[in-house]
Amino acid sequence: EVGRRIPLPHHGVADRLVHHQGGGRVVHLPHQRLFAGGSAGAFGIAVWNPAEVVKTQIQTERTKRLKMIPVAKGVFRTEGILGFWAGVGPNVARSFLVNAAELGTYDEAKHRLKPYLGDTVFTHMGASGVAGFVSACTSTPADVVKTRLMDGAGRADKQYSGVVNAFTTILREEGATALYKGFVPIVTRKVIWCGLFFTMYEQIKASLR
C-alpha cells in the first residue's frame, strides 16, 4: 500500500534503506550496500594501483634509496603499462574483504553490545575494535600476496607468475603463517582506524538527528 510505513530493523552502518520508486517501495538489503561499497572501493583501488606499485617497491627496497620517477620508469621499461597493475587482483579482493568485514562486523558487534552498554561511546569503541581485528584477520593474506606481486613488478627475476602461483608458493615454501606476516602493525592500524571512523560516524549521526 503506497504511503504505508514498513517497519525495518535498525542496525547502524549497514542499515536497510527504503525509498520510493515509481509509486512503490524498494528495499536495499545490507548485503547490497556492502556490495556497492565494495565495488566503489575496488574501483578506486584499481585506479590507484600504479601508485601503490611504486610505493611498495620504494618501501621494500633495503639496499638503496629509491625515488618515484626512476621506479616508475623501470616498471614501464620492463613490463609496459600493464606492469603498473601488478597485484591488482588481490588488491581488489582485499578491498572487498575489508569493506565487508569492517561494516558487517561492526554492525553485528554493536547490536550484541547494546543490551549491556547501551548506545554509548563504549559500545561504539568496542564494536570498532572487533571490526578492526576481524578486518585484519580477513584481509592480511590478500595484503601479503598483493605486496609480493607489486614488489616484483618490473623486475627481471620475478619470483611469482601470478596470484595463484604466489599464494601456493608462499604456502608451500613458507607455511600458512607467512600469509600473516606484518599482522601486528596491520591489526594495530585497523583497530585505530575503525575506532576513529566509527566513533566519529556515530557522534556525527547523533548530532544530526
Side-chain angles (χ1 to χ4, degrees):
E1 180 182 349
V2 179
R4 181 181 176 185
R5 295 181 63 83
I6 301 176
L8 295 172
H10 181 82
H11 295 303
V13 179
D15 297 336
R16 297 183 180 188
L17 286 181
V18 179
H19 67 271
H20 291 276
Q21 186 177 52
R25 297 177 75 81
V26 179
V27 179
H28 293 283
L29 300 175
H31 72 271
Q32 293 174 315
R33 294 193 66 187
L34 292 177
F35 180 78
S39 298
F43 178 77
I45 285 292
V47 169
W48 288 103
N49 204 78
E52 194 153 4
V53 168
V54 174
K55 181 206 73 168
T56 299
Q57 294 204 7
I58 291 174
Q59 289 179 332
T60 55
E61 177 58 48
R62 298 180 181 179
T63 59
K64 57 184 177 180
R65 186 174 181 178
L66 298 178
K67 294 185 178 180
M68 184 175 68
I69 300 301
V71 170
K73 286 182 177 179
V75 172
F76 183 77
R77 182 169 58 250
T78 306
E79 296 190 48
I81 194 69
L82 292 179
F84 291 105
W85 274 269
V88 69
N91 208 12
V92 168
R94 175 185 171 276
S95 176
F96 267 95
L97 291 171
V98 165
N99 277 280
E102 288 181 3
L103 297 178
T105 305
Y106 175 78
D107 278 348
E108 183 64 25
K110 177 184 169 184
H111 179 64
R112 292 182 179 276
L113 288 173
K114 257 185 171 183
Y116 304 98
L117 301 175
D119 192 8
T120 64
V121 67
F122 299 106
T123 296
H124 306 153
M125 291 178 65
S128 298
V130 174
F133 179 76
V134 173
S135 174
C137 290
T138 305
S139 64
T140 299
D143 212 12
V144 170
V145 173
K146 175 209 74 170
T147 301
R148 298 285 185 96
L149 290 173
M150 288 182 173
D151 185 46
R155 301 181 187 274
D157 56 341
K158 292 174 70 171
Q159 190 174 0
Y160 311 108
S161 60
V163 176
V164 175
N165 178 255
F167 184 80
T168 55
T169 302
I170 293 170
L171 276 179
R172 184 177 63 254
E173 297 182 356
E174 303 177 51
T177 55
L179 292 171
Y180 283 89
K181 284 185 175 180
F183 178 76
V184 172
I186 288 175
V187 75
T188 301
R189 182 188 68 184
K190 287 289 182 186
V191 169
I192 293 173
W193 155 251
C194 287
L196 291 172
F197 175 79
F198 286 115
T199 303
M200 290 179 64
Y201 164 79
E202 295 287 1
Q203 296 302 311
I204 293 172
K205 185 177 72 172
S207 69
L208 294 176
R209 286 176 181 167

